[in-house]
């Protein structure tokens, strides 16, 4: 973690110094402010976000001849700190766009700052906000309902008639549960229980005992990152034999490492980037997904095996596409407004997770092309048949 922080700090410092640029050129540079969880319980998501953004910067370091400066701050997995970071990035660093972060509550805190300061934000998590109240925020993550609908379709195919639920006791747990409650009854599946736990909890034995006593056919989990492994571990300890389903908040190597054999055969939705090499030829996101993997390997000297670094890459693609169309000088209110409007008019920008089409009043820009169902098989994600 320390080495990553040092790398990010050096990168941000080098960008801030503007080596070799005149004062006039420096003023015209584009600035991106990224706040993510490089420490705390969400760091298993935040570190990939940061690494993915470094790969994106290397892949496309300028727009229309203007260098892009990337400033990265650690929010420590704390929504209050995320909001404070966003304010610093806006007021002190004068960024043109905000990006982040590693959890829904923290992303909402950032989005409120962006709205008040009239600075566009590209969220990397499935934020749930009223777009009419905050027209400055967009997200490259898939809407939770889109992904949970795919899970419920799979449950129905698997013959599930009842499902127990256990998820985080925060906005992410709410999003998954609410999406499940909307989709499951329509598929003839009864939802049993609504058990919750905090991200920092060390055990969910009590909650799992309650669920198992209800005798559901399957269990749906609403966690993310390494804390998302707890229900899988507890269910395995209690000998639960039914299928266990997850969602896209669990697609990262730290979850796979912690869950171990307890996650065998778990099914969950993800963006197609996670199984890029398994996609059929001609799949719309396959080429850019492979380009992303190459860029990530080159910058980080390691392969990517998570979904979160790719969200950063997609956010960068959406930003650079919009920045190329925005009018005015970076650093000005006029440019930020034009950039916001350009993001809102994004058309068919191909990313690693999906193909992006934004419009005013809509936070999300993806469709069914942004989801596949994968199975965890001996520590590897496999495209489910």
């Amino acid at each position: 973690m320390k080495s990553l922080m040092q790398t990010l700090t050096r990168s941000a410092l080098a960008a801030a110094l503007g080596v070799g640029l005149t004062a006039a050129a420096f003023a015209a540079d584009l600035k991106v402010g990224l706040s993510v969880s490089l420490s705390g319980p969400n760091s298993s998501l935040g570190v990939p976000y940061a690494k993915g953004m470094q790969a994106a910067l290397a892949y496309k370091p300028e727009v229309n001849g203007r260098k892009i400066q990337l400033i990265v701050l650690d929010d420590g997995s704390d929504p209050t700190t995320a909001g404070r970071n966003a304010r610093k990035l806006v007021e002190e660093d004068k960024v043109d766009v905000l990006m982040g972060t590693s959890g829904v509550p923290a992303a909402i805190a950032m989005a409120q700052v962006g709205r008040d300061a009239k600075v566009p934000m590209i969220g990397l998590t499935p934020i749930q906000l009223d777009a009419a109240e905050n027209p400055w925020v967009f997200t490259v993550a898939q809407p939770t309902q889109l992904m949970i609908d795919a899970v419920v379709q799979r449950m129905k195919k698997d013959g599930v008639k009842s499902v127990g639920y256990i998820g985080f006791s925060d906005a992410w747990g709410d999003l998954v549960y609410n999406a499940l409650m909307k989709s499951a009854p329509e598929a003839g599946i009864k939802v049993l229980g609504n058990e919750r736990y905090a991200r920092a909890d060390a055990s969910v034995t009590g909650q799992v005992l309650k669920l198992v006593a209800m005798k559901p056919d399957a269990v749906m989990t609403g966690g993310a990152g390494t804390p998302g492994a707890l229900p899988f571990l507890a269910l395995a300890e209690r000998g639960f034999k039914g299928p266990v389903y997850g969602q896209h908040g669990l697609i990262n190597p730290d979850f796979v490492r912690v869950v171990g054999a307890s996650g065998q055969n778990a099914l969950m939705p993800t963006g197609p980037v996670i199984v890029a090499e398994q996609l059929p030829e001609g799949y719309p996101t396959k080429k850019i997904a492979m380009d992303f993997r190459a860029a990530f390997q080159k910058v980080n000297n390691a392969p990517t095996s998570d979904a979160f670094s790719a969200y950063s890459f997609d956010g960068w693609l959406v930003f650079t596409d919009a920045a190329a169309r925005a009018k005015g000088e970076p650093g000005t209110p006029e440019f930020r407004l034009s950039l916001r409007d350009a993001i809102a008019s994004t058309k068919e920008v191909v990313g690693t997770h999906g193909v992006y089409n934004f419009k005013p009043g809509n936070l999300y820009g993806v469709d069914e092309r942004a989801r596949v169902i994968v199975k965890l098989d001996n520590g590897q994600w496999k495209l489910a048949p």
Side-chain angles (χ1 to χ4, degrees), residues 225-259:
T226 49
L230 286 176
F232 293 83
L233 296 168
L235 286 164
E237 288 173 359
R238 296 297 158 184
F240 183 74
K241 300 300 183 183
V244 183
Y245 299 86
Q247 27 59 42
H248 47 313
L250 299 174
I251 308 294
N252 74 76
D254 285 333
F255 165 78
V256 174
R257 173 181 55 81
V258 172
V259 78

Side-chain angles (χ1 to χ4, degrees), residues 132-147:
E133 293 183 0
N134 190 344
W136 290 87
V137 63
F138 308 85
T139 181
V140 291
Q142 299 91 337
T144 308
Q145 193 68 58
L146 179 74
M147 302 303 260

Side-chain angles (χ1 to χ4, degrees), residues 7-328:
T7 298
L8 293 174
T9 301
R10 285 196 297 268
S11 299
L13 181 59
L17 289 174
V19 178
L21 298 178
T22 66
F26 178 80
D29 280 349
L30 294 156
K31 288 187 178 182
V32 175
L34 174 69
S35 177
V36 285
S37 303
L38 300 176
S39 59
N42 287 343
S43 61
S44 64
L45 312 183
V47 171
Y49 277 136
K51 288 183 175 181
M53 200 65 78
Q54 291 293 322
L57 175 62
Y59 181 79
K60 194 173 182 62
E62 62 180 52
V63 174
N64 293 343
R66 288 174 170 144
K67 299 290 185 182
I68 306 174
Q69 300 175 37
L70 173 62
I71 304 168
V72 183
L73 299 178
D74 177 18
D75 64 30
S77 302
D78 177 56
T80 301
T81 303
R84 187 161 53 245
N85 283 353
R87 195 160 299 282
K88 177 186 182 301
L89 290 166
V90 167
E91 295 178 354
E92 298 180 24
D93 299 305
K94 309 296 184 184
V95 300
D96 296 296
V97 64
L98 291 166
M99 292 196 196
T101 177
S102 315
V104 171
I108 290 173
M110 290 185 67
Q112 291 170 341
V113 174
R115 176 197 60 194
D116 294 344
K118 293 182 170 54
V119 173
M121 174 177 167
I122 298 176
L124 307 178
T125 59
I127 309 171
Q128 191 65 44
L129 290 172
D130 186 339
E133 293 183 0
N134 190 344
W136 290 87
V137 63
F138 308 85
T139 181
V140 291
Q142 299 91 337
T144 308
Q145 193 68 58
L146 179 74
M147 302 303 260
I148 303 307
D149 285 350
V151 176
V152 171
Q153 291 170 17
R154 181 70 192 205
M155 288 180 184
K156 186 175 181 179
K157 179 181 178 181
D158 292 343
V160 172
K161 299 297 183 183
S162 62
V163 59
Y165 179 75
I166 177 170
F168 285 159
S169 54
D170 62 20
W172 179 240
D174 293 342
L175 283 173
V176 177
Y177 178 74
N178 292 339
L180 181 66
M181 289 300 296
K182 182 177 179 180
S183 186
E186 296 175 358
I189 299 172
K190 186 176 181 180
V191 179
L192 304 177
N194 180 11
E195 297 298 319
R196 302 301 186 94
Y197 67 103
R199 292 177 186 248
D201 285 352
S203 172
V204 294
T205 299
Q207 296 94 319
V208 163
L209 284 172
K210 291 180 184 178
L211 281 185
V212 171
M214 298 177 191
K215 299 182 178 180
D217 294 337
V219 171
M220 176 70 196
T221 67
T226 49
L230 286 176
F232 293 83
L233 296 168
L235 286 164
E237 288 173 359
R238 296 297 158 184
F240 183 74
K241 300 300 183 183
V244 183
Y245 299 86
Q247 27 59 42
H248 47 313
L250 299 174
I251 308 294
N252 74 76
D254 285 333
F255 165 78
V256 174
R257 173 181 55 81
V258 172
V259 78
S262 300
Q264 179 68 13
N265 295 322
L267 291 160
M268 54 196 75
T270 184
V273 63
I274 204 68
V275 287
E277 72 284 349
Q278 301 174 42
L279 297 172
E281 293 301 324
Y283 199 90
T285 64
K286 184 169 186 174
K287 181 183 183 303
I288 191 66
M290 300 307 292
D291 289 347
F292 157 67
R293 288 190 175 186
F296 188 97
Q297 174 73 43
K298 183 176 180 180
V299 169
N300 296 289
N301 198 31
T304 175
S305 56
D306 68 275
F308 301 96
S309 54
Y311 286 125
S312 293
F313 197 82
D314 285 2
W316 194 270
L317 294 177
V318 169
F319 158 65
T320 54
D321 172 80
R325 295 181 283 115
K327 307 299 182 183

Side-chain angles (χ1 to χ4, degrees), residues 312-349:
S312 293
F313 197 82
D314 285 2
W316 194 270
L317 294 177
V318 169
F319 158 65
T320 54
D321 172 80
R325 295 181 283 115
K327 307 299 182 183
E329 285 297 307
T332 65
E334 293 77 15
F335 179 81
R336 291 168 186 148
L337 176 60
S338 181
L339 179 61
R340 190 278 306 269
D341 293 343
I343 296 172
S345 62
T346 297
K347 299 295 183 186
E348 291 292 294
V349 170

